[in-house]
Structures are given as C-alpha cells and as structure tokens.
Amino acid sequence: MAPIGIAIIGGGIFVKEEHIPAALSSPLLQVKAIWSRSLKTAQDAAKLIPSDGASSVDLYSADSGVGKSYEDILKREDIAGVILALPIVDQPAYIEKALAAGKHVLAEKPVAKDVATAVKLIENYKKVSAETNASWAVAENFRFTPAWSYAAEEVKKLGKVTGFVVRIFFLMEQSNKYYNTSWRTTPEYQGGFLLDAGVHFTAALRKLLGKDNTVESLVAQTALVSSHLPPVDTINAVLKTKSGVVGSFINSVGTTMSAFEFQIACEQGTVKAEGTKVVTTRGVGQDAVTEEKTFEKTSGVKEEVHAWAESLLSGVPNPNQTPELALGDLELVEKMLTSGDQDGVRQKLQYQHFV
Amino acid sequence: MAPIGIAIIGGGIFVKEEHIPAALSSPLLQVKAIWSRSLKTAQDAAKLIPSDGASSVDLYSADSGVGKSYEDILKREDIAGVILALPIVDQPAYIEKALAAGKHVLAEKPVAKDVATAVKLIENYKKVSAETNASWAVAENFRFTPAWSYAAEEVKKLGKVTGFVVRIFFLMEQSNKYYNTSWRTTPEYQGGFLLDAGVHFTAALRKLLGKDNTVESLVAQTALVSSHLPPVDTINAVLKTKSGVVGSFINSVGTTMSAFEFQIACEQGTVKAEGTKVVTTRGVGQDAVTEEKTFEKTSGVKEEVHAWAESLLSGVPNPNQTPELALGDLELVEKMLTSGDQDGVRQKLQYQHFV
C-alpha cells in the first residue's frame, strides 16, 4: 500500500526539528509538499528531506505566484492531509480551508488563541466534516510521551486523588530561538508564552488527574516578572476539581527559579512526574516504598504524527488528538489568565469533560 | 550575679523536650518553679531538672490546694518571669495575670487563637507594661535557627525578590504524640494544626521575604484531606506583596505528599531554604553558580530562651520576640483560612509591617 501523501504547512523551528523528522519516520506517510510564507523558508525545510528517484517534494509559498499557493496544495488529489504549524493567530483560517477542501488536518496546539475562537472552529468543523469526512486533529505531543502515560496509570492505582502541585519554572531568555519568533515576541493573544507553552502543562495535568478529577473552578494571580515577556509571564493558581480536590498550578516562564514537576497526592501514595522521570511512592508513612522510573527523552512528536497517520488509515480519530481535548487544555490556561486579569476572581470551567 | 529566677507554666511534650533543656542550658536562668494543671504532670516535668544542694524546684498545680496555685507563683519575688506553654485558647488569661503581677512572659506561639484576641492582648499589654514594666515575648523558635537567618541574608544579596513558593507537606498521623493532645484533636480555633504549625511557616516566609516584600493581600482555598484533622488540613494560597510580587503558599498537614521547602526567586538568583539546608544559586542562566550550605539540626528553642534571658537582663525586648511580629505571623495564617472559608475571596492584610 502506498503511503499517505501529506503536505507540511509552515517551515519554522518546530517543523524542521520535529515535524519533518516525525513524518519521515512514519512508514505510513509521504511528504509531497511544503508550504511556507516565503519560498526561502520552504526551501530550507525541504533540504531536510532526502530526495531519491521515487520521491520529490514540491515547494509552495505565499510569494511563489500562480499555481504555488496554499490553495493549490489543497486541490491536489495525491495529498490527503496537512500538518499545520503556523503562528497561533494564523492557524484557524488555514484549518478551515483545508477541512473545506476535504483534507485531513493535524494542527499544532493550542487549538486556537482563545476559547471563543476554538468553540466556533469546532462547531464549523462538525458541520464541514459531516459533508467532507475530513478530520481535524490537534497536536499535543505531551499526550504521546510514555512517561506521562505511565504516570497517569500509576495515579489510578493509588486510590482517590487528594491534592496536587504543578511547578513549571524556567526563564525564556531573549536569546532563546523560540523567543525570537516575531509572533511570539509581541503576541496577539492572552498570556503570551504562558498560553503557548502552558497548554502542554494543562494537558499533562489533566491527563494525570483523570476524568474523575476534572477542574471545576479556579482562582489565580498573574504577574510580569521579566519585562521582555509581556503581557504576563507568571501564573500562581489554585484549582478545585469537581471531586473537591484542591491543588496548585504555578507556572513562570520569566523566573530565575527552575522546576518541572507535577506532584499528585493520592490516598495510597504519591506520583511525581518530571517529564522523563516518574517517582511513585506506594503506601503511606513508614510502610511507603518509593520507585523511580526513568524514560528516554522524547518530545512525543514522532509518536503523535504516526498516531495521526494511523487514524487516517483507520478512519477513526485518535482520542488523544481531538479538538475537544485541546479545548479543555486551552480553557484551563485561559481561565487562569482571566482570573489573573481580574485580580483573582473565581472562574468556572465548562469544557473539561474530555480528558 | 545570680541567675534570673523563672517558673515554667505547663508540663506538656514541648516543655519537657524543649523548654526545660533550654532553660537549663542558659547560665542566665534558674528554674525555681513548675506549674501544671495536674501535680502529676508538674512532677514528671520536674524530674528533668537535676537537683543539687543549691537549687530546688517548687511544684505548683491546679489540684495542689492553698499556696500552690499559679497566682502564688506570681507573688514570689524571687521569680522574675514565666515561660508559658499552655493550650492555645488558655494562654491569654495566664499572660494577662503574669503581666499584671509585673512578671516577664515568654509565651508559646501563636500569639493568640485569632487576630482579634491578639490585638486586644497587645493593647492591654501596652497599658499594663507602662505601669509594671513587665515584658511579653512570644516564642517563635523558627526566628532563632541559624539556617533561616542565613537564608534571609542570602535573599538580600540577590537583588529584588520576584517570586516565591512555600511547600510544606506532611501527614499528621493519628498515632503522632502531638495529635494526641486533647486540645489539638478537637481544636477550638480556626484551622487546627494549620494554625498551630502554620505560624512557624508564615514566620519563616516573612523573614525570608523581608520588610520590602510584606504580604498585602491573598486568595486561598482550604480543604480537609484527612478526616481526623478537622476543620481543615490543607491550604493552597496565592499571596501578593506590597512590592507587587506574587507567590504561592501551600501547606498540608494531612497529605501523603512530603515537602519542606521555601523557594525565593530574586533578580540575580534564587534561595531554597529547607530548614537545615540552604541552596543558593547566584547568577542567572549559564553563569549561575550553586552553593549548598548545611546547618546542624536545631529547634532554635535554646537560642530563643537564652535570647529572652538576655532581654530581661538588658531591659530591651528582643526584636525577634515581639507580640507584634507574632501577630503578623498569625494574621497571615488566619487570612488564608478565612479566604478558604469564603471560597477564595481576596483578603487584605494590615498587621504585616513588623518583619
């Protein structure tokens, strides 16, 4: 069976470092085209794809003229889907065009710049996909790293969840390559990097807490600690789940502190997940036994892109890639930012039922 | 010069394990009397004091009859001060009687069961001490451990404070000796162990943040995680300082998680204080250098009792033992509990100017 023809839309850092290698590593996919705003960027990205007699990659861009536009890719019958990795505010228009053309979409997180936009996009998607059968998957690679899956399973074994603390601290320096993307330096969406990176952390937390402990409401305070990271770079939030559990979510991308830790307390022990290391303590008090499990470092993107390819083959969307799931991740970040904007006024959540 | 004659009021765990050894270790003090509710307890405590020809300890108790009451101790001219370690709700009456009798007081924290009581006590103290010259010191031993002092000095060297996280997690088990004190098992004050132990942690945080970063307001959510620790055993709070810094204070005495860590972020580095270990990171990013300093384990009670004796000699109250300072510690806990009771409504603080 011939691999599924796809196009990659975008030629930025993440496309080069993650999406292209991931697409190349899946035997189910063949990259047939790359589009970027500039031909130069598309050419640079295409260099990463080895050319042989059987395959070649066609380049498209906003500055390439007739027959080489994004819309032209969508007309190609040999291309069944697109991987979209564009600036957050640009993505919706590209998603809608692809779906309208009957192309499957794997689009980078967040699902949209805000919940209102995401809800509209999802409503439109449901209408369009009923006609065209095109599917829309959101790429949240944290859902495809084995450490988080393992940690989530460990939590389930330790009884009722009783508390949690998320601490994610790092300094997004001005010299960082991701900082120097223009759409990130002066973001046109609430929260800047806190939204961009934050949906990864809410996705991870939601996975760890599971469907019995979805977040029901929260209070938060936000701050700008490092002046080069407007509008805000720090969230301190207190979350309450529908099961009545209270926990803290603390994320700063502008701090001198350093941490990457999800602590989940359960009645019969605790799980501490750190991305590649998961420390499980089984039992309470003197009887407690601690086990540390280390996982190979992976972004999860290869697993995620391959899972998407499999879903295209089977016709069944991967439950870890639905826009509804990504909406829940986004809502959790957005409500923390909104509570912060309102100096800590309690926010209720409504899109947390998909976990 | 003869040592200062004092009486110890109370014969509980902390008196036996800490106050008596501390009083014995200070050459400035001589324990002349012990009072407890029951003679039996006073006798048990007195056994810890070696008797020789020169000294003897007189026992007083509520059940010893005429001439052996608390009031009788206060009449003795050879006793200049009392160390008070009674149940939280009982202390105020004993403090007021001692001060009225012109005796100096070192009373256990918290300063009172609530801010309202503490404010009244302080007002009365000012009036009475103007007449009798008797001083009232509050025992907050965390202010006398060298690790916290060192950590506070380190914070000052690293520029402006930009954030902080306090995580104090332990499980107060039903078998714990402190749990099995009747006045703690069914507390007659807000917060139970969260108040009792919590003032230590707010004292430590306030010391680390310093007078430029006193807490101005907060939002908090409280919970009862372990049913044997009513009314609540868990606080998740977000604090905002008058300098605009936002930080988290998370304290659970009923969780399976385990932590004892104060993280302070500054512009030029971070300080992590863990009671006996202080980790200072000087510098930011790749230039950062980390230094770990370990201190001998001490409760600080010996240092605190000796400092009190010195203040009696000099006539100048120790600035680390003022009731106003202890009021600030108490207010910070109380406001977190109150915000929790009100489901996260913001509370403003007003007694934080003494640090």
Side-chain angles (χ1 to χ4, degrees):
Chain A
M1 197 194 67
I4 305 163
I6 63 161
I8 290 179
I9 312 304
I13 305 164
F14 207 71
V15 160
K16 287 187 204 157
E17 295 187 0
E18 296 287 349
H19 288 305
I20 289 178
L24 291 174
S25 79
S26 173
L28 303 178
L29 298 176
Q30 187 182 358
V31 181
K32 298 209 168 218
I34 294 179
W35 178 93
S36 188
R37 207 157 36 164
S38 77
L39 182 60
K40 170 80 174 60
T41 306
Q43 282 168 337
D44 284 351
K47 282 179 195 156
L48 298 166
I49 302 182
S51 62
D52 55 43
S55 74
S56 71
V57 177
D58 301 315
L59 301 184
Y60 295 75
S61 74
D63 60 3
S64 285
V66 178
K68 289 290 171 190
S69 71
Y70 176 63
E71 289 74 11
D72 292 312
I73 290 182
L74 300 181
K75 288 177 192 155
R76 281 177 62 162
E77 293 200 353
D78 64 334
I79 290 178
V82 294
I83 294 179
L84 262 165
L86 298 173
I88 291 174
V89 291
D90 294 347
Q91 287 207 148
Y94 287 78
I95 292 169
E96 294 202 325
K97 279 185 189 172
L99 293 173
K103 303 302 181 193
H104 302 295
V105 174
L106 176 66
E108 262 306 312
K109 40 58 52 181
V111 54
K113 74 177 175 71
D114 54 36
V115 166
T117 309
V119 168
K120 271 188 211 158
L121 271 175
I122 291 172
E123 278 170 11
N124 173 68
Y125 163 52
K126 282 181 181 163
K127 264 185 255 164
V128 171
S129 67
E131 293 167 25
T132 66
N133 216 25
S135 64
W136 171 27
V138 179
E140 175 45 72
N141 46 310
F142 273 42
R143 285 208 171 77
F144 288 88
T145 56
W148 297 116
S149 300
Y150 169 78
E153 288 307 310
E154 288 297 290
V155 168
K156 282 183 199 158
K157 292 178 196 164
L158 297 173
K160 209 170 133 332
V161 169
T162 58
F164 57 92
V165 181
V166 175
R167 284 183 306 138
I168 311 283
F169 296 142
F170 57 89
L171 182 58
M172 177 55 66
E173 294 187 85
Q174 282 181 274
S175 58
N176 188 295
K177 62 187 174 188
Y178 285 111
Y179 179 74
N180 285 294
T181 322
S182 61
W183 60 274
R184 285 191 168 101
T185 315
T186 48
E188 290 166 27
Y189 43 91
Q190 194 185 21
F193 279 98
L194 287 177
L195 181 80
D196 188 10
V199 289
H200 285 314
F201 314 137
T202 52
L205 176 62
R206 281 159 33 81
K207 189 176 178 80
L208 293 173
L209 291 177
K211 66 179 189 316
D212 292 340
N213 302 293
T214 54
V215 179
E216 191 177 74
S217 71
L218 58 85
V219 292
Q221 182 99 45
T222 49
L224 180 64
V225 169
S226 292
S227 58
H228 67 283
L229 295 166
V232 286
D233 60 10
T234 300
I235 291 172
N236 284 251
V238 180
L239 280 46
K240 189 176 178 180
T241 71
K242 69 174 185 188
S243 56
V245 177
V246 177
S248 285
F249 181 100
I250 321 171
N251 180 199
S252 179
V253 301
T255 183
T256 48
M257 290 189 286
S258 177
F260 189 84
E261 191 183 90
F262 294 69
Q263 269 181 299
I264 311 285
C266 306
E267 281 183 329
Q268 295 308 316
T270 66
V271 176
K272 205 158 69 178
E274 303 178 2
T276 53
K277 193 172 82 178
V278 177
V279 181
T280 306
T281 303
R282 297 185 182 87
V284 178
Q286 292 189 321
D287 301 329
V289 176
T290 292
E291 188 195 349
E292 192 175 306
K293 196 158 174 173
T294 306
F295 293 81
E296 220 173 303
K297 197 174 160 69
T298 167
S299 67
V301 175
K302 278 185 186 168
E303 294 86 340
E304 154 190 284
V305 169
H306 186 65
W308 177 61
E310 287 180 319
S311 77
L312 299 191
L313 267 187
S314 69
V316 181
N318 187 301
N320 286 310
Q321 297 182 323
T322 66
E324 288 84 359
L325 207 53
L327 172 62
D329 304 341
L330 174 67
E331 185 195 32
L332 189 43
V333 179
E334 183 175 295
K335 292 293 183 188
M336 291 193 276
L337 293 168
T338 301
S339 180
D341 290 345
Q342 298 174 7
D343 208 23
V345 170
R346 182 169 296 278
Q347 308 291 313
K348 295 206 169 177
L349 289 95
Q350 56 174 314
Y351 297 111
Q352 299 297 306
H353 28 287
F354 292 96
V355 174
Chain B
M1 197 194 67
I4 305 162
I6 64 160
I8 290 179
I9 311 304
I13 304 164
F14 206 71
V15 160
K16 288 188 202 156
E17 294 186 0
E18 297 285 351
H19 289 305
I20 288 179
L24 291 174
S25 79
S26 173
L28 304 178
L29 298 176
Q30 187 184 357
V31 181
K32 299 210 168 219
I34 293 179
W35 178 93
S36 188
R37 206 158 35 164
S38 76
L39 181 61
K40 172 78 175 60
T41 306
Q43 283 168 337
D44 284 351
K47 283 180 193 153
L48 299 167
I49 301 183
S51 62
D52 54 43
S55 73
S56 72
V57 177
D58 300 316
L59 302 184
Y60 294 75
S61 72
D63 59 3
S64 286
V66 176
K68 289 290 172 191
S69 71
Y70 175 63
E71 289 74 11
D72 292 312
I73 290 182
L74 301 180
K75 287 176 194 157
R76 283 177 61 161
E77 293 202 351
D78 63 335
I79 290 178
V82 294
I83 294 179
L84 263 165
L86 298 173
I88 291 174
V89 291
D90 294 346
Q91 288 208 148
Y94 288 79
I95 292 170
E96 294 203 325
K97 279 184 189 173
L99 293 173
K103 303 302 181 194
H104 301 295
V105 174
L106 175 67
E108 262 307 312
K109 39 61 51 183
V111 55
K113 74 176 174 72
D114 54 35
V115 166
T117 309
V119 168
K120 270 187 211 158
L121 272 175
I122 291 173
E123 278 170 10
N124 174 67
Y125 163 53
K126 283 181 181 162
K127 263 185 257 164
V128 172
S129 67
E131 293 167 25
T132 66
N133 214 26
S135 65
W136 171 26
V138 179
E140 175 45 73
N141 47 310
F142 273 42
R143 286 207 171 78
F144 288 86
T145 56
W148 296 117
S149 300
Y150 169 78
E153 289 307 310
E154 288 297 291
V155 168
K156 283 182 199 156
K157 292 178 196 162
L158 298 174
K160 206 170 135 336
V161 169
T162 58
F164 57 91
V165 182
V166 175
R167 285 183 306 138
I168 311 283
F169 296 141
F170 57 89
L171 182 58
M172 177 55 67
E173 292 186 86
Q174 283 181 274
S175 57
N176 188 296
K177 61 186 174 190
Y178 285 112
Y179 179 74
N180 284 294
T181 323
S182 60
W183 59 274
R184 285 191 169 101
T185 315
T186 48
E188 289 167 28
Y189 42 90
Q190 195 185 22
F193 279 97
L194 287 177
L195 181 80
D196 188 9
V199 290
H200 285 312
F201 314 138
T202 52
L205 176 63
R206 280 159 34 80
K207 189 175 177 80
L208 293 173
L209 292 177
K211 65 179 190 317
D212 293 340
N213 302 293
T214 55
V215 179
E216 191 176 75
S217 71
L218 59 85
V219 291
Q221 182 99 46
T222 49
L224 179 64
V225 169
S226 291
S227 57
H228 67 283
L229 295 165
V232 286
D233 60 10
T234 300
I235 290 173
N236 284 251
V238 180
L239 280 47
K240 190 177 176 179
T241 71
K242 70 175 185 187
S243 56
V245 177
V246 177
S248 285
F249 181 100
I250 321 172
N251 180 201
S252 180
V253 301
T255 182
T256 48
M257 291 189 287
S258 177
F260 190 84
E261 193 183 270
F262 294 69
Q263 268 181 300
I264 311 286
C266 306
E267 280 184 330
Q268 295 307 317
T270 66
V271 176
K272 205 158 71 179
E274 302 176 5
T276 53
K277 194 173 80 178
V278 178
V279 181
T280 306
T281 302
R282 297 184 182 87
V284 179
Q286 291 189 323
D287 300 331
V289 176
T290 293
E291 188 195 349
E292 192 175 307
K293 197 159 175 175
T294 306
F295 293 81
E296 220 172 303
K297 196 174 162 69
T298 168
S299 67
V301 175
K302 278 185 185 168
E303 295 86 340
E304 154 191 283
V305 169
H306 186 64
W308 177 61
E310 287 180 319
S311 77
L312 299 191
L313 267 188
S314 68
V316 182
N318 187 299
N320 286 310
Q321 297 182 324
T322 67
E324 289 84 358
L325 206 55
L327 172 61
D329 304 341
L330 174 67
E331 185 195 31
L332 189 43
V333 178
E334 184 174 295
K335 292 294 185 189
M336 290 192 276
L337 292 168
T338 301
S339 180
D341 290 344
Q342 296 174 9
D343 208 24
V345 170
R346 183 170 295 278
Q347 307 291 313
K348 295 206 169 177
L349 288 94
Q350 55 174 315
Y351 297 111
Q352 299 298 307
H353 27 287
F354 293 96
V355 174

